[in-house]
Amino acid sequence: DAKTTQPPSMDCAEGRAANLPCNHSTISGNEYVYWYRQIHSQGPQYIIHGLKNNETNEMASLIITEDRKSSTLILPHATLRDTAVYYCIVRALRDDKIIFGKGTRLHILP
Amino acid sequence: DAGVIQSPRHEVTEMGQEVTLRCKPISGHDYLFWYRQTMMRGLELLIYFNNNVPIDDSGMPEDRFSAKMPNASFSTLKIQPSEPRDSAVYFCASRPSPGTSGRNEQFFGPGTRLTVL
């Protein structure tokens, strides 16, 4: 079973920041938080990951709470192309598998 | 880099027929994963290989499913005989050996949409 809880769907206006929450209250000290997204009719795509510090790359920012029990993926300026299902995943570095939950379906509204 | 290549992209077959899905991982990647995605069950890991050796096939639904990786650049997922409930999108993914950054990113192919009538 997935170790994360995400809202099933969210809406965001185009050009605004999309903030996608994820709860992972049972996360272990050696587990990372990963985010993937799946655009319609495509395979999942890696976005970002973090352990305990906030992270930023060209796609998004990841904010992890100090107790690491939850995190937020931020798409700073959402576009229509960001419409997708976003998966929050926790796994240890040594884990080969990715266990996908149901994710959050993000709708970007024009 | 061409990314992970899967073929065919679409397959329509009749119940009872054998189906073979193919995957070419990214060159240099040591790991290869097969997933199945349906509306009801979401994205499920079926089996994965490391250096062409099957490591975990606990997700394979039943004996009708088999997967092979004869070399580092090719893998197949076979269903024999196929049934309507096997209709799904099948994804192949590959990944290099993990480094120390924690990234452990899997690269997914475009998937094969299988319809069993």
Side-chain angles (χ1 to χ4, degrees):
Chain A
D1 292 333
K3 303 178 184 178
T4 63
T5 304
Q6 299 178 253
S9 67
M10 292 182 62
D11 292 338
C12 178
E14 188 177 18
R16 305 297 293 268
N19 297 280
L20 292 92
C22 179
N23 287 323
H24 31 80
S25 58
T26 60
I27 192 170
S28 300
N30 65 340
E31 289 182 318
Y32 289 72
V33 180
Y34 291 81
W35 284 83
Y36 279 70
R37 76 177 181 185
Q38 186 174 21
I39 294 171
H40 182 62
S41 298
Q42 298 183 21
Q45 174 193 23
Y46 165 90
I47 300 173
I48 198 168
H49 77 281
L51 183 61
K52 55 184 178 181
N53 298 322
N54 297 338
E55 302 287 345
T56 295
N57 64 19
E58 67 279 4
M59 292 180 69
S61 295
L62 174 60
I63 309 297
I64 302 174
T65 58
E66 191 169 346
D67 63 7
R68 303 209 323 124
K69 293 185 177 181
S70 65
S71 61
T72 301
L73 179 74
I74 301 172
L75 308 178
H77 304 287
T79 71
L80 295 177
R81 288 175 296 180
D82 293 320
T83 294
V85 178
Y86 288 77
Y87 298 98
C88 172
I89 298 150
V90 297
R91 57 192 272 235
L93 182 63
R94 68 179 186 281
D95 291 341
D96 293 329
K97 300 186 197 182
I98 296 177
I99 307 299
F100 287 90
K102 297 187 183 302
T104 295
R105 186 172 296 276
L106 177 65
H107 298 100
I108 305 300
L109 307 175
Chain B
D1 192 340
V4 176
I5 299 173
Q6 292 188 246
S7 65
R9 293 294 310 276
H10 302 272
E11 177 81 29
V12 179
T13 189
E14 292 187 346
M15 183 173 62
Q17 296 298 307
E18 178 179 296
V19 174
T20 300
L21 311 181
R22 297 172 176 80
C23 175
K24 177 179 170 56
I26 293 172
S27 177
H29 282 191
D30 302 280
Y31 288 80
L32 184 140
F33 304 81
W34 282 101
Y35 292 85
R36 176 174 70 175
Q37 187 170 37
T38 61
M39 288 293 293
M40 291 296 294
R41 300 177 66 89
L43 199 56
E44 304 173 280
L45 176 66
L46 300 178
I47 184 172
Y48 78 93
F49 296 82
N50 178 217
N51 291 323
N52 313 335
V53 177
I55 303 300
D56 186 342
D57 64 355
S58 60
M60 295 287 262
E62 47 196 276
D63 292 345
R64 298 185 297 107
F65 286 69
S66 62
K68 294 182 179 180
M69 192 163 186
N71 58 63
S73 60
F74 183 67
S75 177
T76 60
L77 178 67
K78 186 176 293 187
I79 308 173
Q80 166 63 19
S82 59
E83 296 182 2
R85 59 189 168 129
D86 301 329
S87 296
V89 180
Y90 291 81
F91 289 102
C92 176
S94 70
R95 196 202 83 196
S97 292
T100 56
S101 71
R103 181 155 171 157
N104 262 356
E105 175 184 357
Q106 289 187 18
F107 296 80
F108 283 77
T112 295
R113 181 172 296 277
L114 173 65
T115 303
V116 183
L117 303 174

